[in-house]
Amino acid sequence: MSETDSNGGLSISRRSFLKSFGTSAAVAATAQVEAVAKELEKATAEKMIGPEAVPITLQVNGKALKLQLEPRVTLLEALRNHAPLTGSKEVCDRATCGACTMLVDDLPVYSCSMLAIETQGRKITTIEGLAQNGKLTPVQEAFIDKDALMCGYCTPGFIMSVTALLKNNPRPTADEVKHACSGNLCRCGTYPRIMQAAFKAAGVASNSKTEVISYASLA
Ligand code: FES
Ligand code: FES
């Protein structure tokens, strides 16, 4: 309560000052808490996607691919099971064999270990996207010419890895080819021919069979 001082002016008692100050502070604190709560609510709403299927758009082989997917779906599963792109193979499904290799922004990735939802807005290239108007790429032609496959399960992955290598390094050394393919496994053991195919695609004179075999011990 305000009081009148000896000069007729208004004076504020210590008690009423503290009381009104306390009320203002409490109001300000409450407003702050509410603002923080609203921000948290907004951030949580933005982060929480799924678990039910949500609309996803992927840029695959130069085209927009619209899918309805649960956020847990991998890129490999999205393209193999929710689109007709079965060229990339699922073998280990745990980032060890490279059969699922695709290019994301021109870099080779294990698509079995990447969520489809994460790749929105990025350029995805699968083995189906290499040939243009029915014309195979030099890497694909070289794999055929050098008979660089047996069962063929690893082949799309190797082709994608070699394609990525030659894009950045058109004349690689044997060690560079070996390094680029070190994430790909061929259980049939066609490594020497895969090496020969990579050399052929790069226009590098093929080494002798013995040299290629020694380079091709990728393990
Ligand atoms: S299936 Fe992806 S690395 Fe083996
Ligand atoms: S050709 Fe069969 S796994 Fe490589």
Side-chain angles (χ1 to χ4, degrees):
M1 179 184 286
S2 60
E3 296 164 0
T4 307
D5 63 16
S6 52
N7 298 322
L10 275 179
S11 71
I12 297 177
S13 73
R14 184 184 174 84
R15 182 187 178 89
S16 61
F17 171 77
L18 287 175
K19 200 171 158 188
S20 70
F21 178 76
T23 305
S24 309
V27 168
T30 305
Q32 271 186 358
V33 168
E34 277 173 7
V36 169
K38 270 188 192 156
E39 281 304 310
L40 278 175
E41 206 172 284
K42 200 171 138 200
T44 307
E46 281 168 359
K47 275 189 194 156
M48 285 287 291
I49 298 174
E52 68 283 353
V54 294
I56 288 176
T57 303
L58 304 177
Q59 294 299 325
V60 186
N61 300 332
K63 289 186 189 149
L65 176 64
K66 291 184 184 298
L67 299 169
Q68 193 76 18
L69 297 176
E70 292 176 23
R72 66 177 179 84
V73 172
T74 64
L75 178 59
L76 179 65
E77 193 187 340
L79 299 189
R80 281 185 59 84
N81 300 343
H82 300 270
L85 295 168
T86 55
S88 312
K89 303 303 178 207
E90 181 177 319
V91 178
C92 69
D93 201 23
R94 58 182 61 191
T96 57
C97 76
C100 63
T101 304
M102 294 179 193
L103 306 186
V104 173
D105 293 337
D106 293 331
L107 293 175
V109 300
Y110 288 153
S111 61
C112 70
S113 302
M114 184 171 254
L115 295 176
I117 199 167
E118 287 179 297
T119 60
Q120 289 189 104
R122 301 176 71 183
K123 177 184 159 194
I124 300 160
T125 309
T126 68
I127 187 81
E128 291 92 343
L130 296 186
Q132 295 298 314
N133 303 318
K135 185 165 170 36
L136 298 180
T137 64
V139 176
Q140 290 173 306
E141 291 282 8
F143 269 70
I144 295 169
D145 290 351
K146 293 294 178 184
D147 202 14
L149 63 150
M150 289 178 76
C151 76
Y153 244 72
C154 68
T155 312
F158 270 102
I159 288 178
M160 298 312 284
S161 293
V162 173
T163 298
L165 169 68
L166 298 189
K167 208 171 178 100
N168 292 316
N169 180 3
R171 302 280 289 183
T173 63
D175 279 343
E176 287 166 339
V177 173
K178 186 173 161 180
H179 183 261
C181 295
S182 60
N184 297 78
L185 297 179
C186 174
R187 290 167 175 85
C188 298
T190 17
Y191 295 114
R193 288 175 183 268
I194 291 168
M195 292 293 287
Q196 285 178 325
F199 289 141
K200 178 170 174 129
V204 176
S206 203
N207 297 25
S208 77
K209 199 172 174 187
T210 316
E211 278 174 320
V212 170
I213 287 172
S214 78
Y215 281 135
S217 18
L218 293 168

